[in-house]
Amino acid sequence: MDSLWEVPFATALQPLIDASPEAIFLMAPDGRILAANAAMGRRVHARAAELIGRNVFDLVDPESAARRRAHVDTVLTTGRPVVFRDERLGKCTEHHLHPVPDAAGRTAFVAVYARDVSESGLVEEERLKNEAILRESQALAHVGGWEWDVDRKRMYWSEETFNIHDVPPEKREQGSPGLIRRSIECYRPEDRETIAAAFRACVEEGRPYDLEFPFTSFAGRSLWIRTTARPVWENGRVYRVVGNIMDITARKKSQGLLESRVRLSELSLTLDTKALLGAFVDEAESLTGSRIGFVHFVVEEQATLSLQTWSSSTLEHFCTAAGEGLHYPVAQAGVWVDAVRQRKAVIHNDYASLPHRRGLPPGHAPLVRELVVPIFQGGRIVAVFGVGNKDEDYDERDIELVSTLGGMAWDILSRAKSEEALRQSEEYLQAVFRAAPVGIGVVRNRVLTRVNERICEMTGYSQEELLGQSARMLYPSQEDFDFVGREKYRQIREKGTGELETRWQRKDGSVIDVLMASTPLDRSNLSVGVTFTALDITERKRIQAELVQANLDLSETTARATDLAAQSEAANKAKSEFLANMSHEIRTPLNGVLGMLQLIETTDLDPEQRDYVRTAITSSTRLTRLLSDILDISRIESGKLVLSETEFEVSALKGSVLELFAPIARKKKLDLLFRLDPGVPRHLIGDETRLRQILFNLVGNAMKFTQRGAVSVEISPLRPRSASECRILLCVNDTGAGIPENRIKDIFEPFVQVDGSYVREHQGAGLGLSIVRRLVRMMRGELSLDSTLGEGTTICLSLPLRVPQGRMPAAQDGQAEECLQPACRIILAEDDEVNLWAGRKILEKLGHSVTPAANGQEVLDHLARQDFDLIFMDIQMPVMDGVEATRAIRQDVSLGARSSIPIIAMTAYAMTGDREVFLAAGMNDYLAKPVQMDGIRQVIARVLGNVPRA
């Protein structure tokens, strides 16, 4: 179709062909059926709708298909109709194949009319019906045909050609040579000789032509016409000329609209909002041939409109009425607001006859007809564009023109707002970049283009000394530099990110150990740049080296066994203290980073920035998990991990697994299945937290090593050993890579992975399965593994749990709905400025009002002055710490009911026993840093009683 206003051929023709008792269908050149009537369906024993898209040649035997395909090729090649008969199954069918041209005059489709002539033969009625179909086809496509008989000098027009010229039926003379003269008179005087010369050249020299001109019909309609002609030769001379005449007015309007788009896009770079809107209204007025144009904005509540501007010609020639910036209530405005009331474009081609019109204000131009179009954004009407007083009636083409221009105007205005939001987001990102406790930088072709202050602190160089320099200056040797480049880019190409340990040389010559994580700005084009984070792990490496040496010394001699055992215990204690301290010191700034990143994620970001933020959140979350795994393995090894047995709902385990891993499964296109056997009791007693940790580690490991297929989890009951015991069997199965038999015995060891080479495909520290095995042993369970290389792995474990007294209903395969939270007045006690700012913004994003406090004393002061609903209390603070402040609140009788206010510990203390200490001091709940927005929401729900405590 040449125009977006033209009716699709097959759709418009459907009612006509359905009315015929004989088989009619429209086919593409390749044989696909595009439209068919009921008679065609009956012929092949199917419904007409079932034939759409099927190939017509597949409906007959190969020999008949070959004959029919040859006839279709003749129509496509010559552009002339073909009639043929064939006999099948004792019946004779006559087929009429008619070419259907496109806008360029080429045969685009073939219309087929098939009639059973076994008994009646061909009758005149058949011919008349076919001719009627051809006429309807030409009318729908706005294409008329004509033929000039050179010898007889006679001109023949099709019915649609007469229609395009607006010749009344009573004046339609076929064969008259005067039709040529009358048609040429419809063109502009300056174009008439051109079209006449082209016609003569076609007749005399056999030269075809294809021309486009403005055209005025006999009735005075202004059109654009495309006329084509080609000669028909016989015995070396032209004896006929055949041609088409096509109404291309709609296409020309589309071209005008396209030119307007280009022109207005250029103006948008220099004009302010009001001038740009005026330019859009002027274009809409010009393209529709109107004399009035205006635009109104619709305010957010959809009840009021505000006038923005009139078109320039309206203000200059027709309208002196005031109104710019005035507001019009929808309920009181006139008929032009029907576009808002009805939520669609409205046309009033006879304004004076409208019974619900309310008149015009003084100075307003007289109104004859009008068109008003609403502009939508996200289902809401944001503006209305209107034009009026066109000489002819408005139609659907005018609606499309005004809608397109109005939508484009609003898109440009919205883009300007988005750019402002982008600027604000960039400021947020800059704040995170500066305040991050880890080094952050960007390299392009391994040249430093951006670094934050933490990078400068780690290296001893200033930003001026680093920027624009090769990253080689940070490495103590060329070998280190080459290794990082080679390994980092290899990981990026394979996994999208890279992570490794290396060494940097400071400006003073000293060498530090660094953990680097890298992500490309554009994975498909690494020359765009790579972002990286750098963490100084020198102290950690030193302590790890000391621990390794201590363990080596332990085996040197049995004579020093007692002494070395004491040293080992001291070393473990030092390690635990170090890990506790490092946990606190890392979690505190990491909480600020993660909080800021979560806040930025809620702002308007472009796709590139959102990728940056999500990458940073992913890296921070991985760092948190690694920190937790290291703490867990340390607790287990030192015997300080204590199991906590409480009653829990088994189905909650399923919900947790699906919530966490379903997005990963969708991304990797894996099936994630979880079956909870009906025989498992609904409630059990055990350490739910550690059971959840086991599940997460097993499912996470399976997801990591499975590239296709499925990961499934099943929980089923085993035969109990006593009346109060419930033994469950938990199995995790995957269709991943499998484990070599010689490595199965190693995978449950800490810091061990199946693939330990530099080309390892999967990230991780190798702690997950080691923690699983040790937790299962602590819970008095048993674990088994079955794996086939290249087919997958199944890990099963049995755990003895207990059934609550008097509770035996089976587990329900679902989870409870989360309750909504009311807005709360909250005191946030935090001495770290970044964490305070991030925590406050997160709580405010959740709908709460926040009063900050830098220490415990300020909490007491705030609580003494006014009522609050909740306190988030940091532990380590100056002046008065969180534990002391909590005890003071609980013991202060002068506070009255306020002394019972819920208090939640939000702290970086996350070692075994920390939670119990804080709860014993009078706190109601506990949240370890770094915190997630969902974690804050859930703990508030628990302490305020909105959801049951897990």
Side-chain angles (χ1 to χ4, degrees):
M1 296 296 177
D2 270 359
S3 169
L4 51 86
W5 291 286
E6 295 185 31
V7 179
F9 180 80
T11 303
L13 192 59
Q14 195 67 41
L16 177 65
I17 64 177
D18 276 337
S20 173
E22 301 296 339
I24 300 175
F25 62 96
L26 183 70
M27 63 180 286
D30 60 1
R32 285 180 297 110
I33 298 175
L34 305 178
N37 68 348
M40 176 62 183
R42 290 192 296 271
R43 184 176 292 273
V44 296
H45 308 292
R47 292 189 298 113
E50 296 173 349
L51 297 178
I52 306 304
R54 294 183 61 182
N55 196 295
V56 69
F57 301 119
D58 294 338
L59 303 178
V60 296
D61 60 88
E63 183 178 350
S64 298
R67 289 197 304 272
R68 296 183 182 188
R69 192 186 301 272
H71 291 304
V72 171
D73 290 341
T74 300
V75 175
L76 295 173
T77 303
T78 65
R80 299 176 62 82
V82 169
V83 179
F84 70 95
R85 294 184 180 185
D86 67 0
E87 294 186 4
R88 291 179 64 251
L89 305 177
K91 290 187 177 182
C92 181
T93 304
E94 184 173 83
H95 301 267
H96 292 253
L97 278 61
H98 292 268
V100 181
D102 61 10
R106 296 183 298 270
T107 301
F109 311 105
V110 177
V112 181
Y113 179 87
R115 183 179 181 183
D116 184 359
V117 294
S118 301
E119 299 177 359
S120 63
L122 183 64
V123 295
E124 181 66 13
E125 179 185 357
E126 179 75 14
R127 183 182 64 81
L128 294 176
K129 286 183 179 179
N130 286 337
E131 290 181 353
I133 292 173
L134 182 59
R135 286 195 301 273
E136 291 294 334
S137 301
Q138 290 184 337
L140 288 170
H142 303 294
V143 178
W146 56 266
E147 180 180 293
W148 170 251
D149 188 326
V150 176
D151 294 332
R152 300 170 63 192
K153 299 191 182 304
R154 298 179 66 84
M155 174 64 78
Y156 300 92
W157 283 3
S158 71
E159 183 176 334
E160 183 60 19
T161 303
F162 281 113
N163 292 338
I164 292 174
H165 285 78
D166 286 334
V167 178
E170 65 274 10
K171 295 183 178 181
R172 298 182 177 183
E173 301 177 14
Q174 287 286 15
S176 171
L179 291 177
I180 299 177
R181 176 185 52 78
R182 295 181 66 188
S183 178
I184 291 178
E185 289 175 354
C186 292
Y187 296 91
R188 296 181 305 185
E190 60 267 32
D191 297 329
R192 291 171 185 170
E193 178 54 33
T194 302
I195 188 67
F199 181 77
R200 286 195 300 272
C202 187
V203 173
E204 297 171 3
E205 303 173 25
R207 286 192 294 180
Y209 64 82
D210 187 340
L211 302 171
E212 295 180 1
F213 293 108
F215 183 91
T216 302
S217 72
F218 297 160
R221 281 194 308 140
S222 296
L223 307 171
W224 266 89
I225 289 298
R226 178 182 180 186
T227 178
T228 64
R230 64 180 177 84
V232 180
W233 298 83
E234 185 177 82
N235 299 324
R237 69 181 188 89
V238 176
Y239 81 99
R240 282 192 311 128
V241 176
V242 295
N244 287 328
I245 182 169
M246 178 184 295
D247 180 357
I248 60 170
T249 307
R251 193 189 75 193
K252 285 295 185 179
K253 284 191 175 183
S254 296
Q255 291 175 348
L257 179 61
L258 179 59
E259 293 168 358
S260 295
R261 285 178 172 175
V262 174
R263 187 163 51 251
L264 291 169
S265 295
E266 294 172 349
L267 290 175
S268 69
L269 302 176
T270 57
L271 299 182
D272 59 21
T273 299
K274 179 181 176 182
L276 184 61
L277 284 172
F280 272 97
V281 177
D282 287 347
E283 289 287 344
E285 188 180 79
S286 173
L287 288 174
T288 57
S290 302
R291 293 183 172 84
I292 296 175
F294 61 87
V295 59
H296 288 258
F297 284 178
V298 182
V299 298
E300 190 167 354
E301 85 282 359
Q302 303 284 279
T304 309
L305 296 92
S306 63
L307 175 63
Q308 299 302 308
T309 188
W310 296 98
S311 69
S312 55
S313 64
T314 303
L315 293 173
E316 183 176 355
H317 300 293
F318 298 103
C319 188
T320 60
E324 180 180 342
L326 293 183
H327 288 68
Y328 300 85
V330 172
Q332 301 174 17
V335 296
W336 62 277
V337 187
D338 287 348
V340 178
R341 299 186 185 110
Q342 300 176 20
R343 296 179 62 79
K344 65 178 183 179
V346 295
I347 293 175
H348 300 134
N349 279 324
D350 187 3
Y351 176 82
S353 68
L354 298 174
H356 61 301
R357 71 184 190 282
R358 299 193 177 184
L360 302 171
H364 195 288
L367 197 58
V368 179
R369 53 180 62 86
E370 68 178 357
L371 161 64
V372 186
V373 173
I375 305 300
F376 290 86
Q377 186 179 60
R380 185 173 66 87
I381 300 176
V382 293
V384 292
F385 277 71
V387 291
N389 289 0
K390 179 182 177 181
D391 289 339
E392 303 171 356
D393 283 352
Y394 290 104
D395 55 25
E396 293 296 325
R397 298 178 181 181
D398 297 313
I399 291 177
E400 187 67 28
L401 278 169
V402 178
S403 297
T404 301
L405 285 171
M408 181 180 176
W410 192 260
D411 288 343
I412 291 176
L413 295 177
S414 299
R415 184 178 64 199
K417 293 180 181 179
S418 298
E419 289 173 352
E420 175 60 21
L422 175 61
R423 184 190 62 78
Q424 295 180 2
S425 296
E426 288 177 346
E427 291 179 356
Y428 280 123
L429 286 173
Q430 286 294 332
V432 173
F433 188 77
R434 290 190 298 269
V438 296
I440 302 177
V442 179
V443 292
R444 183 175 291 118
N445 296 324
R446 305 206 71 185
V447 173
L448 297 163
T449 60
R450 292 195 68 182
V451 293
N452 68 349
E453 288 297 327
R454 179 57 184 148
I455 293 285
C456 297
E457 294 172 3
M458 291 171 60
T459 63
Y461 291 102
S462 66
Q463 287 190 348
E464 291 74 14
E465 292 173 312
L466 291 172
L467 296 182
Q469 300 299 315
S470 169
R472 170 66 180 84
M473 67 184 296
L474 297 178
Y475 294 88
S477 70
Q478 185 67 36
E479 182 181 0
D480 288 311
F481 178 68
D482 292 341
F483 168 74
V484 170
R486 183 173 59 254
E487 179 63 14
K488 175 179 68 176
Y489 287 112
R490 182 195 64 77
Q491 292 183 26
I492 287 174
R493 284 191 294 270
E494 293 179 358
K495 299 177 291 186
T497 61
E499 182 177 308
L500 51 79
E501 292 183 5
T502 185
R503 300 183 302 160
W504 279 3
Q505 184 172 5
R506 291 171 47 83
K507 185 177 181 180
D508 61 11
S510 59
V511 176
I512 60 174
D513 293 300
V514 177
L515 175 63
M516 291 184 64
S518 304
T519 301
L521 299 178
D522 183 351
R523 187 176 179 182
S524 64
N525 183 8
L526 298 182
S527 64
V528 174
V530 175
T531 63
F532 68 89
T533 60
L535 181 65
D536 186 347
I537 58 171
T538 306
E539 185 65 14
R540 189 185 78 184
K541 296 283 286 185
R542 184 187 65 79
I543 294 176
Q544 287 178 345
E546 290 178 354
L547 291 175
V548 170
Q549 186 60 45
N551 287 330
L552 290 175
D553 293 343
L554 191 64
S555 61
E556 286 183 356
T557 177
T558 56
R560 297 176 54 200
T562 303
D563 183 53
L564 290 177
Q567 291 182 31
S568 176
E569 182 177 354
N572 281 331
K573 181 178 179 181
K575 180 180 71 173
S576 297
E577 292 174 352
F578 163 76
L579 289 174
N581 184 57
M582 288 301 293
S583 171
H584 183 276
E585 293 306 312
I586 293 176
R587 286 173 184 272
T588 296
L590 190 57
N591 184 62
V593 172
L594 197 54
M596 293 288 289
L597 291 171
Q598 291 178 87
L599 287 172
I600 293 173
E601 195 176 27
T602 64
T603 66
D604 292 332
L605 301 172
D606 62 29
E608 181 180 8
Q609 292 171 328
R610 190 165 296 281
D611 285 343
Y612 294 169
V613 172
R614 288 175 177 167
T615 300
I617 289 176
T618 300
S619 297
S620 300
T621 304
R622 287 185 55 207
L623 185 58
T624 303
R625 284 202 301 270
L626 177 60
L627 183 63
S628 298
D629 283 347
I630 293 173
L631 290 175
D632 281 343
I633 202 72
S634 175
R635 293 171 187 166
I636 295 173
E637 288 178 347
S638 62
K640 293 183 178 180
L641 184 66
V642 179
L643 298 177
S644 176
E645 292 194 341
T646 59
E647 181 178 338
F648 65 94
E649 188 169 352
V650 180
S651 61
L653 297 174
K654 175 179 180 179
S656 299
V657 170
L658 295 180
E659 179 182 4
L660 181 62
F661 293 102
I664 301 173
R666 285 194 296 270
K667 183 176 181 180
K668 297 186 70 174
K669 298 181 180 179
L670 300 175
D671 292 328
L672 177 58
L673 311 173
F674 198 119
R675 180 180 178 275
L676 189 57
D677 192 284
V680 177
R682 181 173 183 176
H683 293 85
L684 291 172
I685 294 176
D687 193 327
E688 181 194 12
T689 299
R690 297 305 168 187
L691 186 55
R692 195 186 306 267
Q693 183 178 5
I694 290 171
L695 264 176
F696 283 3
N697 280 343
L698 292 179
V699 176
N701 209 58
M703 297 290 290
K704 181 194 303 183
F705 292 95
T706 302
Q707 303 305 318
R708 63 181 61 86
V711 173
S712 61
V713 183
E714 181 174 358
I715 299 179
S716 55
L718 295 173
R719 178 175 296 180
R721 295 171 179 150
S722 65
S724 62
E725 183 185 76
C726 176
R727 293 173 63 232
I728 64 170
L729 177 66
L730 191 156
C731 293
V732 177
N733 176 267
D734 66 64
T735 58
I739 304 169
E741 185 173 353
N742 62 340
R743 299 305 307 273
I744 290 179
K745 64 181 186 338
D746 300 326
I747 65 170
F748 292 100
E749 295 300 325
F751 304 105
V752 171
Q753 290 200 344
V754 171
D755 185 359
S757 69
Y758 287 133
V759 293
R760 195 174 71 200
E761 294 183 358
H762 305 284
Q763 298 176 345
L767 294 174
L769 294 181
S770 175
I771 292 174
V772 167
R773 184 180 69 172
R774 299 182 187 209
L775 286 176
V776 170
R777 287 178 178 176
M778 289 184 65
M779 299 171 75
R780 297 179 294 109
E782 297 174 356
L783 184 146
S784 65
L785 181 147
D786 180 44
S787 182
T788 302
L789 195 62
E791 295 183 7
T793 301
T794 299
I795 298 180
C796 294
L797 55 96
S798 64
L799 292 173
L801 303 174
R802 291 187 293 117
V803 180
Q805 192 73 18
R807 283 196 171 184
M808 283 300 293
Q812 300 298 312
D813 205 358
Q815 49 187 333
E817 295 183 359
E818 183 176 334
C819 299
L820 298 176
Q821 297 178 7
C824 298
R825 299 161 297 175
I826 297 175
I827 298 176
L828 176 59
E830 174 62 67
D831 64 317
D832 183 89
E833 291 182 0
V834 175
N835 281 318
L836 178 62
W837 192 89
R840 180 176 184 175
K841 289 298 181 182
I842 289 175
L843 289 169
E844 289 174 351
K845 288 281 186 181
L846 293 175
H848 307 298
S849 61
V850 180
T851 299
N855 55 63
Q857 184 58 53
E858 289 186 13
V859 174
L860 294 176
D861 295 341
H862 289 314
L863 199 58
R865 288 193 294 267
Q866 66 182 97
D867 291 329
F868 291 88
D869 302 306
L870 183 65
I871 299 173
F872 276 96
M873 186 79 76
D874 191 12
I875 300 302
Q876 183 173 299
M877 295 183 291
V879 183
M880 179 184 291
D881 64 42
V883 173
E884 183 181 354
T886 299
R887 289 173 178 158
I889 292 170
R890 298 300 187 225
Q891 297 170 6
D892 192 347
V893 295
S894 66
L895 292 176
R898 297 177 188 171
S899 63
S900 300
I901 186 172
I903 302 174
I904 300 170
M906 188 161 68
T907 175
Y909 286 101
M911 297 294 287
T912 301
D914 288 341
R915 174 190 178 96
E916 290 71 23
V917 170
F918 305 145
L919 296 181
M923 297 184 182
N924 299 80
D925 215 319
Y926 166 89
L927 201 59
K929 296 177 182 177
V931 298
Q932 298 276 0
M933 193 176 289
D934 284 341
I936 292 177
R937 183 186 293 110
Q938 293 168 7
V939 75
I940 292 176
R942 286 201 303 268
V943 300
L944 294 182
N946 297 104
V947 296
R949 186 181 297 271

